[in-house]
Amino acid sequence: MTTGEKIAKLRADRNLSQAALAEQLNIGTSTLGMWETGKRGLKDDTLKMIANFFDVSVDYLLDISDEPNTLKNTVPIAGEIPEEYTIPILGRIAASAPAGLVSDYEGEISIQPSSIKRYGRKDIFALRVLGDSMNRIIPEGAIAIIHKTCDWEDGDICAVTINGDDATLKEVTKTDRGIKFTPLSYSKFHAPWEYIKDEDEVDVIIHGVFLYGIITTDKM
């Protein structure tokens, strides 16, 4: 059963019409229809929203688990986390002013199996976050899980390198002149920066889209 079919079944089990569920989720009825028919994919935050509404796990929606309320990332107490659910922490990235992306392998970290199934283990990587310019989303020292892709949408948080060396994590938005990079911080000291195409003599490469953060107990 596809994710869309799962959503349609859960909706039907609650005796909800598409219009009623769309209103509850604060989305358009046509959007819900495209999700249910598989014509439009769902982002991780959308999957979490739907899972929370129906009180099921994301793994259930993605058909990883047959149990609606299976706990995420659970393993036997005496067992080990399967290798296929881990990805490498490849280095560090600034969440402040752009700074060098440090290539510093720290080991492996376990992630949600649903992310592995959706994106593939080879297309996900992890980076340690430096700085506080994104602390409304992810705090300094946490691990950012990144989907390696060149495709992004306005409002996505992306891992970006500038001139091949400087790297940063920022919200990105297309403008008439180029790309705007916006910090999401509780501090007032961080300001947006706009890359102006054909004017700024810098090379900007977006390496991937931020999926979610993991707060670890170890020190930086």
Side-chain angles (χ1 to χ4, degrees):
M1 187 178 292
T2 67
T3 298
E5 290 170 343
K6 284 278 184 76
I7 294 171
K9 182 180 184 303
L10 289 166
R11 176 176 59 78
D13 290 344
R14 295 279 187 97
N15 294 317
L16 291 171
S17 65
Q18 283 191 341
L21 179 57
E23 183 178 358
Q24 291 285 334
L25 298 178
N26 196 28
I27 60 171
T29 304
S30 60
T31 298
L32 176 59
M34 286 189 285
W35 288 345
E36 291 188 351
T37 57
K39 293 180 180 179
R40 177 180 292 184
L42 291 88
K43 290 187 175 182
D44 282 2
D45 56 350
T46 304
L47 284 168
K48 290 176 185 177
M49 175 183 68
I50 295 172
N52 289 336
F53 179 84
F54 286 114
D55 193 25
V56 298
S57 68
V58 172
D59 286 356
Y60 175 75
L61 290 179
L62 293 175
D63 207 30
I64 295 173
S65 171
D66 293 329
E67 297 295 329
N69 295 307
T70 300
L71 294 176
K72 302 170 188 174
N73 286 336
T74 56
V75 295
I77 293 175
E80 295 181 356
I81 297 173
E83 181 180 350
E84 60 267 26
Y85 293 160
T86 65
I87 59 173
I89 304 173
L90 298 180
R92 305 181 180 212
I93 190 168
S96 55
L101 174 60
V102 181
S103 179
D104 182 16
Y105 175 75
E106 293 188 31
E108 303 280 321
I109 188 168
S110 62
I111 66 170
Q112 297 172 1
S114 56
S115 298
I116 297 288
K117 180 173 182 179
R118 184 174 185 186
Y119 301 107
R121 187 170 184 261
K122 293 183 179 180
D123 287 326
I124 306 176
F125 61 96
L127 295 169
R128 178 83 67 175
V129 173
L130 306 176
D132 65 352
S133 75
M134 296 298 291
N135 62 10
R136 283 167 49 192
I137 304 298
I138 183 169
E140 181 173 12
I143 302 296
I145 306 302
I146 308 292
H147 172 217
K148 183 168 58 178
T149 178
C150 297
D151 297 326
W152 55 275
E153 300 177 357
D154 284 352
D156 281 343
I157 297 169
C158 295
V160 184
T161 55
I162 302 169
N163 285 337
D165 295 318
D166 292 346
T168 189
L169 193 67
K170 291 290 182 289
E171 181 185 70
V172 297
T173 309
K174 295 176 184 176
T175 68
D176 292 337
R177 301 187 300 173
I179 303 174
K180 183 179 181 181
F181 300 93
T182 303
L184 300 175
S185 175
Y186 294 112
S187 171
K188 298 180 180 179
F189 295 102
H190 303 288
W193 171 72
E194 185 175 4
Y195 162 69
I196 301 176
K197 186 179 180 181
D198 299 328
E199 290 186 20
D200 291 336
E201 295 182 358
V202 295
D203 292 323
V204 174
I205 300 176
I206 295 179
H207 293 276
V209 175
F210 171 79
L211 298 178
Y212 55 85
I214 298 175
I215 299 175
T216 59
T217 57
D218 59 320
K219 301 292 184 180
M220 288 183 57

